[in-house]
Short mmCIF file of all heavy atoms in Angstrom, two decimals:
data_model
loop_
_atom_site.label_atom_id
_atom_site.label_comp_id
_atom_site.label_asym_id
_atom_site.label_seq_id
_atom_site.Cartn_x
_atom_site.Cartn_y
_atom_site.Cartn_z
N THR A 23 83.10 96.63 90.99
CA THR A 23 84.12 97.67 90.98
C THR A 23 83.58 98.86 91.78
O THR A 23 82.38 99.10 91.81
CB THR A 23 84.48 98.15 89.56
OG1 THR A 23 83.32 98.70 88.94
CG2 THR A 23 85.02 97.01 88.69
N ASN A 24 84.49 99.58 92.40
CA ASN A 24 84.14 100.80 93.11
C ASN A 24 85.42 101.62 93.20
O ASN A 24 86.28 101.35 94.03
CB ASN A 24 83.58 100.48 94.51
CG ASN A 24 83.12 101.73 95.23
OD1 ASN A 24 83.83 102.72 95.28
ND2 ASN A 24 81.92 101.68 95.81
N ALA A 25 85.54 102.60 92.30
CA ALA A 25 86.78 103.38 92.18
C ALA A 25 87.13 104.10 93.48
O ALA A 25 88.30 104.12 93.88
CB ALA A 25 86.66 104.38 91.04
N GLU A 26 86.15 104.65 94.15
CA GLU A 26 86.41 105.39 95.38
C GLU A 26 86.91 104.44 96.49
O GLU A 26 87.89 104.74 97.18
CB GLU A 26 85.13 106.09 95.85
CG GLU A 26 85.31 106.97 97.06
CD GLU A 26 84.01 107.68 97.42
OE1 GLU A 26 83.39 108.29 96.54
OE2 GLU A 26 83.62 107.60 98.61
N ALA A 27 86.26 103.31 96.63
CA ALA A 27 86.67 102.33 97.64
C ALA A 27 88.06 101.77 97.31
O ALA A 27 88.89 101.60 98.21
CB ALA A 27 85.66 101.20 97.74
N ALA A 28 88.31 101.51 96.03
CA ALA A 28 89.61 100.99 95.61
C ALA A 28 90.71 102.00 95.92
O ALA A 28 91.78 101.63 96.43
CB ALA A 28 89.60 100.66 94.12
N ALA A 29 90.45 103.29 95.64
CA ALA A 29 91.44 104.33 95.91
C ALA A 29 91.73 104.43 97.40
O ALA A 29 92.89 104.57 97.82
CB ALA A 29 90.96 105.67 95.36
N LYS A 30 90.70 104.33 98.22
CA LYS A 30 90.88 104.41 99.67
C LYS A 30 91.71 103.22 100.16
O LYS A 30 92.60 103.38 101.00
CB LYS A 30 89.54 104.45 100.38
CG LYS A 30 89.68 104.61 101.87
CD LYS A 30 88.36 104.94 102.52
CE LYS A 30 88.64 105.40 103.93
NZ LYS A 30 87.56 106.14 104.50
N ALA A 31 91.42 102.04 99.64
CA ALA A 31 92.17 100.85 100.03
C ALA A 31 93.64 100.98 99.62
O ALA A 31 94.54 100.69 100.42
CB ALA A 31 91.55 99.60 99.42
N ARG A 32 93.88 101.42 98.40
CA ARG A 32 95.27 101.60 97.93
C ARG A 32 96.00 102.63 98.79
O ARG A 32 97.16 102.42 99.15
CB ARG A 32 95.28 102.02 96.47
CG ARG A 32 95.00 100.90 95.52
CD ARG A 32 95.21 101.32 94.05
NE ARG A 32 94.76 100.27 93.18
CZ ARG A 32 93.58 100.25 92.55
NH1 ARG A 32 92.74 101.27 92.68
NH2 ARG A 32 93.24 99.23 91.80
N LYS A 33 95.32 103.72 99.10
CA LYS A 33 95.94 104.77 99.91
C LYS A 33 96.35 104.22 101.28
O LYS A 33 97.35 104.65 101.86
CB LYS A 33 94.98 105.95 100.07
CG LYS A 33 95.58 107.12 100.80
CD LYS A 33 94.64 108.31 100.83
CE LYS A 33 95.30 109.45 101.56
NZ LYS A 33 94.44 110.62 101.65
N ALA A 34 95.59 103.24 101.78
CA ALA A 34 95.89 102.63 103.08
C ALA A 34 96.93 101.50 102.96
O ALA A 34 97.28 100.88 103.95
CB ALA A 34 94.62 102.09 103.70
N GLY A 35 97.40 101.26 101.73
CA GLY A 35 98.45 100.27 101.52
C GLY A 35 98.00 98.88 101.10
O GLY A 35 98.81 97.96 101.00
N LEU A 36 96.71 98.71 100.83
CA LEU A 36 96.22 97.41 100.38
C LEU A 36 96.41 97.26 98.87
O LEU A 36 96.30 98.24 98.12
CB LEU A 36 94.73 97.23 100.70
CG LEU A 36 94.36 96.82 102.11
CD1 LEU A 36 94.55 97.97 103.08
CD2 LEU A 36 92.94 96.32 102.15
N GLU A 37 96.68 96.04 98.44
CA GLU A 37 96.61 95.69 97.03
C GLU A 37 95.13 95.61 96.70
O GLU A 37 94.32 95.18 97.54
CB GLU A 37 97.27 94.35 96.76
CG GLU A 37 98.77 94.35 96.95
CD GLU A 37 99.49 95.15 95.87
OE1 GLU A 37 99.02 95.16 94.71
OE2 GLU A 37 100.50 95.76 96.20
N VAL A 38 94.76 95.98 95.49
CA VAL A 38 93.35 95.95 95.10
C VAL A 38 93.19 95.20 93.78
O VAL A 38 93.91 95.46 92.82
CB VAL A 38 92.77 97.38 94.96
CG1 VAL A 38 91.33 97.34 94.46
CG2 VAL A 38 92.86 98.12 96.28
N VAL A 39 92.26 94.26 93.78
CA VAL A 39 91.86 93.56 92.56
C VAL A 39 90.36 93.80 92.41
O VAL A 39 89.60 93.63 93.36
CB VAL A 39 92.14 92.04 92.67
CG1 VAL A 39 91.69 91.33 91.40
CG2 VAL A 39 93.62 91.79 92.95
N GLU A 40 89.97 94.21 91.22
CA GLU A 40 88.56 94.47 90.95
C GLU A 40 88.08 93.63 89.77
O GLU A 40 88.85 93.34 88.85
CB GLU A 40 88.33 95.94 90.58
CG GLU A 40 88.65 96.93 91.69
CD GLU A 40 88.36 98.34 91.26
OE1 GLU A 40 87.17 98.75 91.31
OE2 GLU A 40 89.31 99.04 90.87
N ASN A 41 86.80 93.28 89.81
CA ASN A 41 86.14 92.66 88.67
C ASN A 41 86.82 91.36 88.21
O ASN A 41 86.93 91.10 87.02
CB ASN A 41 86.02 93.66 87.51
CG ASN A 41 85.05 93.20 86.45
OD1 ASN A 41 84.10 92.47 86.72
ND2 ASN A 41 85.30 93.61 85.23
N ARG A 42 87.29 90.56 89.16
CA ARG A 42 87.89 89.27 88.84
C ARG A 42 87.46 88.24 89.87
O ARG A 42 87.36 88.56 91.04
CB ARG A 42 89.42 89.33 88.84
CG ARG A 42 89.98 90.12 87.69
CD ARG A 42 91.46 89.95 87.62
NE ARG A 42 92.00 90.76 86.56
CZ ARG A 42 93.03 90.42 85.83
NH1 ARG A 42 93.64 89.27 86.04
NH2 ARG A 42 93.48 91.20 84.88
N CYS A 43 87.26 87.02 89.41
CA CYS A 43 86.90 85.94 90.32
C CYS A 43 88.17 85.29 90.85
O CYS A 43 89.01 84.83 90.07
CB CYS A 43 86.03 84.90 89.61
SG CYS A 43 85.66 83.49 90.66
N ILE A 44 88.32 85.24 92.16
CA ILE A 44 89.52 84.69 92.77
C ILE A 44 89.70 83.21 92.43
O ILE A 44 90.81 82.75 92.20
CB ILE A 44 89.54 84.95 94.30
CG1 ILE A 44 90.92 84.65 94.89
CG2 ILE A 44 88.42 84.22 95.00
CD1 ILE A 44 91.09 85.14 96.32
N ALA A 45 88.60 82.45 92.35
CA ALA A 45 88.68 81.03 92.02
C ALA A 45 89.09 80.85 90.55
O ALA A 45 89.94 79.99 90.24
CB ALA A 45 87.36 80.32 92.29
N VAL A 46 88.54 81.63 89.66
CA VAL A 46 88.91 81.55 88.24
C VAL A 46 90.38 81.90 88.06
O VAL A 46 91.11 81.21 87.33
CB VAL A 46 88.02 82.49 87.39
CG1 VAL A 46 88.55 82.64 85.97
CG2 VAL A 46 86.59 81.97 87.36
N GLU A 47 90.85 82.93 88.75
CA GLU A 47 92.25 83.31 88.64
C GLU A 47 93.16 82.20 89.19
O GLU A 47 94.20 81.90 88.62
CB GLU A 47 92.51 84.63 89.37
CG GLU A 47 91.82 85.82 88.74
CD GLU A 47 92.23 86.08 87.30
OE1 GLU A 47 93.43 85.94 86.97
OE2 GLU A 47 91.35 86.41 86.48
N HIS A 48 92.77 81.60 90.28
CA HIS A 48 93.54 80.50 90.87
C HIS A 48 93.64 79.34 89.87
O HIS A 48 94.74 78.80 89.64
CB HIS A 48 92.87 80.04 92.16
CG HIS A 48 93.67 79.08 92.96
ND1 HIS A 48 93.58 77.72 92.76
CD2 HIS A 48 94.58 79.28 93.95
CE1 HIS A 48 94.40 77.11 93.61
NE2 HIS A 48 95.03 78.03 94.33
N GLN A 49 92.53 79.00 89.24
CA GLN A 49 92.52 77.92 88.24
C GLN A 49 93.35 78.29 87.01
O GLN A 49 94.12 77.49 86.51
CB GLN A 49 91.08 77.60 87.82
CG GLN A 49 90.27 76.94 88.89
CD GLN A 49 88.82 76.81 88.51
OE1 GLN A 49 88.38 77.23 87.43
NE2 GLN A 49 88.03 76.22 89.39
N ARG A 50 93.16 79.51 86.54
CA ARG A 50 93.85 79.97 85.32
C ARG A 50 95.37 79.91 85.49
O ARG A 50 96.09 79.56 84.56
CB ARG A 50 93.42 81.41 85.00
CG ARG A 50 94.00 81.96 83.71
CD ARG A 50 93.52 83.38 83.46
NE ARG A 50 93.93 84.32 84.49
CZ ARG A 50 95.15 84.83 84.60
NH1 ARG A 50 96.09 84.49 83.75
NH2 ARG A 50 95.43 85.68 85.56
N LEU A 51 95.84 80.22 86.69
CA LEU A 51 97.28 80.22 86.95
C LEU A 51 97.81 78.81 87.28
O LEU A 51 99.01 78.64 87.47
CB LEU A 51 97.60 81.19 88.09
CG LEU A 51 97.39 82.66 87.73
CD1 LEU A 51 97.43 83.52 88.99
CD2 LEU A 51 98.40 83.13 86.71
N GLY A 52 96.90 77.85 87.38
CA GLY A 52 97.31 76.49 87.65
C GLY A 52 97.89 76.28 89.04
O GLY A 52 98.80 75.47 89.23
#
């Protein structure tokens, strides 16, 4: 996690996901 980096990314229009594994989320959602 990095609150400052996340805020900068959001301000630039990016979606931000922190502290989650993309593979675990993909599996969890089936």
